[in-house]
């Protein structure tokens, strides 16, 4: 589509020249301001040419088929007479998967491992590349906005959308979100960070009223959104369905205006999730810029039906509506959609690099939880046959709901392993019918290996009713008794209880690993790749070990849910209660080993930067590999109750066998701070702090204190 607006170009030029002449004479406007002013004048001139009805048409997004017969998950129709094109949207975040009404798929796309797996890589340049491919594939399908990333916090293990989010930790979630946004927006595709804020459960998501303290909001639920705005200049924010402290997010003045727009300086536009419940006057005056209509009974059209009248009666000022339109046009201008003044990359689908990236993310995102006696990697020359049990014939590409991606191809575990084994190792699959090992018994050689694939689906729209993998206990025990090595591969959205854990030798947490699943699993099982993934969430032994085990805390009573754990989410909760996790936050094994040495501090002079922290990591094993080192801060002398420690930095370091590297982090004042509810501000208290460097949250290798 031709973006240049020939009609308006000369007018802008004339206005710009006049402004430039005046500004030069008065010597008040720098070149940079001039450019901003030029943009503002252009957009203002567009808005002043619009009728009230046209302005309102700009702030009501629709789903479905556009006048050219193309289907969209959502788009803003644009105004043809003024040369304003439609703004077309595409779902994310596991891939630029086109979904439409009732999540019907329109077109295939590269299916990456789900975001929880992406976070497990702790490899931010890799996430930047994912963002870039999301952007390129969105463009290739002639869309302008990818509805990603989702940076909500994984609060409860049952969360239906846990796989769509990155972590239980705000720092890791923020780094992941920023990387994805920078990757996509860097090639000219707008992103939408979602769901603002605290969409942490899917049961009753349209109506649930979450009671959350200001401190928990600031320390846990908001930081990833804050970083997306301040650091990555995200172009749109999608408001969540739920209420926070009695007010729907999409009509919440404190969230939308006070925090996002005023405090953080957000310059883009805020849209609703699809079909949120909101009322015209309240929402427009609260700072909502765009409503997206949804499906069925949630197909709301409040702005479309009532905003003209609200402006005419003065309940909503016309200047407010102008601001809403200004924000949309301003982002369209920034991304070259109004005037084709940017040199962005062209879109492309399913390129060979996209396939390679999907493989690499799967390899780095699969976490080796357990590897007794180094049974892995498997030596093919010593393995006569490999028996596959359970759900091995299907690739479990992604979770269900709007983020579900239909890939161009996918590789199941069976295919990946069979294709890998070009020697004489036999691969035998025992399907459900002979899972009991009955007739198969005679074929089994006691030296051989069994791999059991377990799968539990997860979906947007409802939470899981169980986090137990007990159902397969009998099978796993039988298999473990027969085979000399038993390996379990889990394809789940997160923490599950594993009553059979002691019986097996090795366990991989593979999440939903995208289109390259089987190839990545084979590469890790046979040691072509060395595992380097680490958990972005805590795995607990029992459900009661997690926060929110009372009904009033989850799923809630009478549409109300209390976040009574406050800031103690994930490992913060486990540490506060001295509960030993099944697998700790940040845990993940490698086929090599690493040592940590020589922690040192050097003070920094800037006001915000407190000091530099450095230490040396060495690969002490015989294989090349990567380590994810984590930096936690403990506030020793806090005047308020604070988590025992909090993640404030991490580094993924690739080291050849025997190689070492000095790692450096800088600590900011904000890293030392808590949200002080008495002054409503961040507070870094004077006193003693500890820097703890670890291979996981409960495998701390170096510690050193300092006085702030
Ligand atoms: C989901 C969003 C999604 C939108 C469009 C909503 O139901 O919550 O994450 O982007 O639908 O499919």
């Amino acid at each position: 589509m031709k973006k240049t607006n020939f009609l308006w170009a000369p007018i802008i030029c004339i206005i710009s020249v006049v402004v430039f002449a005046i500004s030069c004479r008065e010597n008040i406007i720098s070149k940079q301001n001039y450019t901003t002013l030029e943009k503002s004048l252009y957009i203002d001139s567009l808005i002043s040419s619009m009728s009230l009805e046209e302005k309102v048409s700009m702030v009501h997004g629709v789903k479905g088929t556009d006048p050219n017969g193309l289907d969209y998950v959502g788009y803003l129709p644009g105004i043809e007479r003024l040369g304003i094109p439609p703004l077309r949207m595409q779902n994310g975040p596991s891939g630029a998967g086109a979904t439409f009404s009732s999540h019907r798929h329109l077109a295939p796309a590269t299916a990456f491992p789900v975001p929880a797996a992406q976070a497990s890589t702790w490899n931010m340049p890799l996430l930047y590349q994912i963002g870039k491919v999301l952007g390129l594939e969105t463009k290739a399908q002639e869309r302008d906005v990818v509805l990603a990333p989702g940076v909500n916090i994984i609060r409860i293990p049952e969360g239906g959308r846990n796989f769509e989010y990155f972590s239980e930790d705000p720092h890791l979630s923020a780094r992941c979100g920023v990387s994805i946004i920078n990757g996509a927006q860097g090639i000219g595709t707008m992103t939408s960070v979602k769901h603002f804020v605290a969409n942490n459960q899917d049961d009753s998501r349209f109506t649930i009223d979450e009671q959350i303290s200001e401190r928990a909001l600031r320390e846990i639920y908001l930081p990833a959104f804050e970083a997306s705005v301040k650091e990555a200049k995200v172009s749109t924010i999608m408001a969540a369905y739920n209420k926070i402290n009695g007010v729907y997010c999409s009509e919440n003045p404190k969230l939308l205006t006070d925090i996002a727009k005023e405090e953080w300086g957000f310059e883009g536009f805020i849209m609703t999730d699809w079909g949120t419940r909101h009322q015209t006057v309240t929402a427009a005056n609260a700072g909502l810029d765009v409503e997206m209509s949804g499906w069925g009974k949630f197909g709301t059209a409040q702005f479309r039906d009532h905003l003209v009248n609200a402006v005419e009666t003065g309940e909503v000022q016309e200047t407010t509506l102008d601001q809403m339109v200004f924000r949309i046009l301003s982002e369209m201008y920034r991304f070259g959609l109004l005037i084709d003044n940017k040199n962005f990359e062209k879109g492309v689908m399913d390129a060979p690099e996209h396939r390679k990236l999907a493989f690499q993310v799967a390899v780095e995102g699969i976490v080796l939880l357990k590897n007794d006696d180094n049974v892995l990697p498997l030596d093919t020359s010593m393995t006569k046959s490999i028996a596959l049990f359970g759900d091995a014939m299907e690739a479990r590409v992604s979770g269900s709901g709007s983020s579900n991606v239909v890939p161009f191809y996918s590789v199941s575990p069976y295919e990946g392993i069979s294709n890998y084994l070009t020697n004489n190792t036999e691969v035998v699959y025992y399907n459900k019918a002979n899972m009991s090992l009955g007739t198969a018994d005679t074929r089994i050689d006691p030296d051989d290996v069994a791999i059991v694939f377990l799968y539990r689906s997860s979906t947007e729209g409802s939470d899981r009713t169980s986090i137990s993998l007990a159902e397969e206990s009998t099978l796993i025990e039988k298999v473990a008794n027969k085979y000399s090595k038993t390996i379990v591969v889990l394809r789940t959205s997160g923490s599950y209880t594993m009553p059979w854990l002691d019986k097996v030798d090795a366990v991989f947490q593979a999440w939903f690993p995208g289109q390259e699943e089987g190839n990545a699993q084979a590469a890790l099982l046979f040691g072509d790749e060395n595992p380097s993934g680490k958990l972005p969430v805590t795995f607990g032994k029992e459900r009661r070990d997690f926060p929110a085990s009372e009904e009033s805390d989850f799923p809630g009573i009478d549409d109300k849910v209390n976040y009574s754990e406050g800031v103690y989410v994930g490992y913060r909760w486990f540490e506060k209660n001295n509960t030993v996790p099944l697998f700790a936050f940040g845990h993940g094994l490698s086929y090599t080993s690493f040592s940590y040495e020589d922690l040192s501090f050097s003070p920094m002079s800037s006001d915000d930067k407190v000091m530099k922290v450095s230490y040396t990591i060495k690969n002490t094993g015989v294989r090349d590999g990567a380590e994810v080192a984590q930096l936690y801060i403990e506030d020793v002398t806090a005047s308020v109750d604070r988590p025992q420690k909090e993640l404030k930095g991490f580094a993924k370091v690739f080291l050849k066998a025997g190689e070492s590297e000095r790692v450096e982090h800088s600590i900011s004042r904000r890293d030392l701070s808590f949200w002080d509810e008495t002054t409503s501000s961040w507070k870094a208290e004077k006193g003693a702090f500890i820097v703890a460097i670890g291979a996981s949250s409960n495998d701390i290798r170096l510690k050193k204190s300092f006085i702030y």
Side-chain angles (χ1 to χ4, degrees):
M1 180 185 300
K2 194 101 186 102
K3 309 272 167 42
T4 309
N5 185 330
F6 288 110
L7 185 66
W8 285 97
I11 300 173
I12 303 154
C13 261
I14 294 164
I15 297 170
S16 304
V17 168
V18 172
V19 171
F20 188 61
I22 296 169
S23 63
C24 286
R25 205 190 54 207
E26 299 187 357
N27 202 17
I28 48 167
I29 302 173
S30 69
K31 180 77 183 80
Q32 200 185 350
N33 286 341
Y34 168 65
T35 309
T36 310
L37 192 60
E38 179 191 52
K39 175 181 112 177
S40 299
L41 283 169
Y42 174 49
I43 294 173
D44 283 344
S45 71
L46 285 177
I47 295 174
S48 60
S49 311
M50 288 178 193
S51 66
L52 180 56
E53 286 73 14
E54 281 174 328
K55 290 177 190 173
V56 169
S57 76
M58 286 293 300
V59 299
H60 171 74
V62 286
K63 57 166 198 314
T65 310
D66 78 357
N68 300 321
L70 292 170
D71 285 342
Y72 295 101
V73 68
Y75 68 100
L76 305 185
I79 302 175
E80 207 177 342
R81 124 187 135 75
L82 296 176
I84 301 172
L87 184 68
R88 305 153 305 175
M89 300 172 191
Q90 172 77 304
N91 251 323
S94 302
T99 51
F100 178 50
S101 179
S102 310
H103 302 142
R104 175 164 68 80
H105 286 91
L106 297 174
T110 298
F112 289 106
V114 292
Q118 298 171 17
S120 301
T121 70
W122 299 65
N123 183 339
M124 295 307 113
L126 209 56
L127 268 80
Y128 178 92
Q129 292 303 325
I130 298 172
K132 187 170 168 184
V133 172
L134 290 180
L136 289 171
E137 295 203 349
T138 298
K139 273 198 163 194
Q141 295 171 74
E142 304 205 350
R143 268 77 166 171
D144 314 300
V145 188
V146 59
L147 303 172
V151 298
N152 291 119
I153 293 294
I154 298 174
R155 171 183 180 244
I156 41 151
E158 296 91 344
R161 300 185 88 167
N162 284 359
F163 67 89
E164 264 192 75
Y165 300 140
F166 296 116
S167 174
E168 67 189 24
D169 180 81
H171 179 78
L172 180 55
S173 302
R175 297 336 309 152
C176 292
V178 165
S179 305
I180 296 284
I181 296 166
N182 283 339
Q185 294 198 167
I187 58 98
T189 299
M190 291 162 64
T191 60
S192 179
V193 68
K194 62 190 189 182
H195 308 87
F196 189 55
V197 60
N199 166 224
N200 308 118
Q201 69 181 69
D202 262 44
D203 284 352
S204 317
R205 65 173 168 164
F206 298 110
T207 50
I208 193 83
D209 181 5
E210 302 174 353
Q211 309 297 303
I212 313 182
S213 71
E214 178 74 13
R215 188 169 159 213
L217 274 173
R218 295 291 186 156
E219 291 185 26
I220 306 292
Y221 299 103
L222 287 171
F225 290 97
E226 182 179 0
S228 303
V229 169
K230 288 185 177 168
E231 290 180 50
K233 305 259 171 287
V234 68
S235 45
T236 83
I237 295 176
M238 189 192 294
Y241 288 119
N242 48 278
K243 293 179 185 169
I244 302 284
N245 300 327
V247 186
Y248 277 116
C249 290
S250 45
E251 52 182 31
N252 193 316
K254 183 175 164 188
L255 284 175
L256 309 187
T257 298
D258 301 353
I259 295 181
K261 292 182 177 175
E262 288 177 3
E263 194 183 314
W264 298 344
F266 176 60
E267 289 181 355
F269 62 92
I270 302 179
M271 60 178 160
T272 64
D273 198 342
W274 270 230
T276 61
R277 299 191 177 174
H278 58 277
Q279 294 168 43
T280 303
V281 175
T282 329
N285 289 334
L288 180 71
D289 301 303
V290 171
E291 73 177 2
M292 296 303 300
S293 74
W295 293 278
K297 62 181 170 169
F298 303 117
T300 47
Q302 298 296 311
F303 283 1
R304 187 195 67 190
D305 296 345
H306 307 297
L307 193 49
V308 169
N309 183 53
V311 171
E312 280 169 353
T313 59
E315 287 169 290
V316 174
Q317 297 293 308
E318 188 151 6
T319 49
T320 303
L321 177 58
D322 288 352
Q323 271 305 310
M324 293 154 68
V325 178
F326 186 92
R327 282 174 174 271
I328 301 161
L329 293 178
S330 183
E331 287 305 307
M332 292 178 74
Y333 184 99
R334 177 180 163 210
F335 285 86
L337 303 173
L338 288 184
I339 297 178
D340 200 357
N341 56 350
K342 305 275 153 104
N343 208 7
F344 290 126
E345 276 182 54
K346 293 235 172 327
V348 53
M349 292 306 290
D350 189 32
E353 312 84 68
H354 301 188
R355 296 179 174 206
K356 261 171 90 178
L357 185 63
F359 171 78
Q360 190 60 26
V361 178
V363 162
E364 292 192 38
I366 293 175
V367 182
L368 179 58
L369 296 175
K370 170 175 175 158
N371 190 18
D372 284 357
D373 302 324
N374 295 324
V375 291
L376 293 175
L378 298 172
D379 181 345
T380 50
S381 66
M382 307 279 286
T383 312
K384 282 191 220 145
S385 93
I386 297 182
L388 305 185
F389 292 90
D391 184 58
M393 301 309 273
E394 222 176 303
R396 295 302 183 180
V397 174
S398 51
S400 301
S402 62
S403 71
N404 184 267
V405 180
V406 172
F408 288 95
Y409 68 93
S410 64
V411 183
S412 72
Y414 177 83
E415 284 167 319
I417 291 168
S418 308
N419 294 345
Y420 183 91
L421 293 168
T422 47
N423 67 1
N424 290 331
T425 312
E426 190 190 9
V427 182
V428 188
Y429 172 61
Y430 296 97
N431 64 19
K432 283 226 164 73
N434 59 18
M435 233 174 181
S436 62
L437 304 183
T439 53
D441 280 4
T442 51
R443 306 192 52 177
I444 294 163
D445 185 306
D447 293 332
D448 284 342
V449 174
I451 310 178
V452 185
F453 289 86
L454 302 191
Y455 168 65
R456 291 286 190 278
S457 63
S458 190
T459 184
E460 171 182 346
S462 61
D463 297 318
R464 276 162 290 127
T465 48
S466 157
I467 59 156
S468 163
L469 291 175
E471 211 180 287
E472 286 90 351
S473 293
T474 316
L475 167 73
I476 291 178
E477 274 181 42
K478 276 190 181 174
V479 171
N481 287 339
K482 297 267 178 198
Y483 290 80
S484 65
K485 294 177 183 175
T486 302
I487 297 148
V488 174
V489 180
L490 304 172
R491 290 116 101 231
T492 67
S493 69
S495 179
Y496 274 84
T497 61
M498 306 175 203
W500 38 258
L501 186 63
D502 290 344
K503 306 273 185 291
V504 305
D505 302 290
V507 181
F508 275 118
Q509 171 63 28
W511 314 99
F512 304 133
Q515 62 190 33
E516 282 284 336
E517 148 153 48
N519 291 337
Q521 281 161 359
L524 290 166
L525 284 164
F526 301 110
D528 281 12
E529 299 281 348
N530 191 347
S532 63
K534 295 211 179 188
L535 292 178
V537 288
T538 307
F539 277 23
K541 288 182 183 157
E542 300 288 343
R543 175 57 180 93
R544 62 169 176 267
D545 293 348
F546 288 90
S549 44
E550 297 291 321
E551 193 189 349
S552 53
D553 290 353
F554 172 72
I557 299 173
D558 295 338
D559 256 347
K560 253 201 180 130
V561 66
N562 290 329
Y563 280 40
S564 66
E565 72 284 356
V567 298
Y568 298 97
V569 176
Y571 63 89
R572 289 162 168 81
W573 173 266
F574 279 75
E575 293 187 350
K576 182 180 173 58
N577 295 294
N578 289 320
T579 306
V580 179
L582 187 61
F583 295 107
F585 174 81
H587 167 80
L589 302 172
S590 165
Y591 298 152
T592 186
S593 52
F594 300 93
S595 71
Y596 290 63
E597 286 154 26
D598 198 13
L599 174 60
S600 71
F601 297 158
S602 60
M604 290 169 82
S605 49
S606 114
D607 228 22
D608 187 47
K609 298 281 173 214
V610 175
M611 63 178 190
K612 277 205 170 109
V613 171
S614 53
Y615 52 92
T616 302
I617 299 189
K618 184 170 185 195
N619 181 343
T620 49
V622 291
R623 280 173 185 268
D624 302 348
E627 172 67 327
V628 176
Q630 299 147 45
L631 182 153
Y632 297 89
I633 301 269
E634 298 176 24
D635 186 348
V636 184
T637 49
S639 66
V640 296
D641 195 21
R642 293 192 71 178
Q644 191 177 312
K645 63 179 183 297
E646 298 183 68
L647 183 81
K648 294 297 171 184
F650 57 87
K652 184 156 192 176
V653 192
F654 294 84
L655 295 169
K656 290 195 180 314
E659 215 175 50
S660 57
E661 193 175 305
R662 193 95 188 130
V663 178
E664 199 175 88
H665 305 267
S666 63
I667 309 274
S668 68
R669 204 168 39 192
R670 171 76 181 263
D671 292 333
L672 308 181
S673 302
F674 62 90
W675 182 260
D676 184 354
E677 288 191 323
T678 59
T679 59
S680 290
S681 62
W682 292 103
K683 185 169 187 180
E685 281 181 334
K686 300 283 170 210
F689 288 84
I690 291 175
V691 170
I693 309 292
S696 81
S697 62
N698 70 356
D699 181 9
I700 299 301
R701 306 289 185 86
L702 301 168
K703 257 189 172 192
K704 195 171 164 155
S705 62
F706 68 96
I707 305 292
Y708 173 66

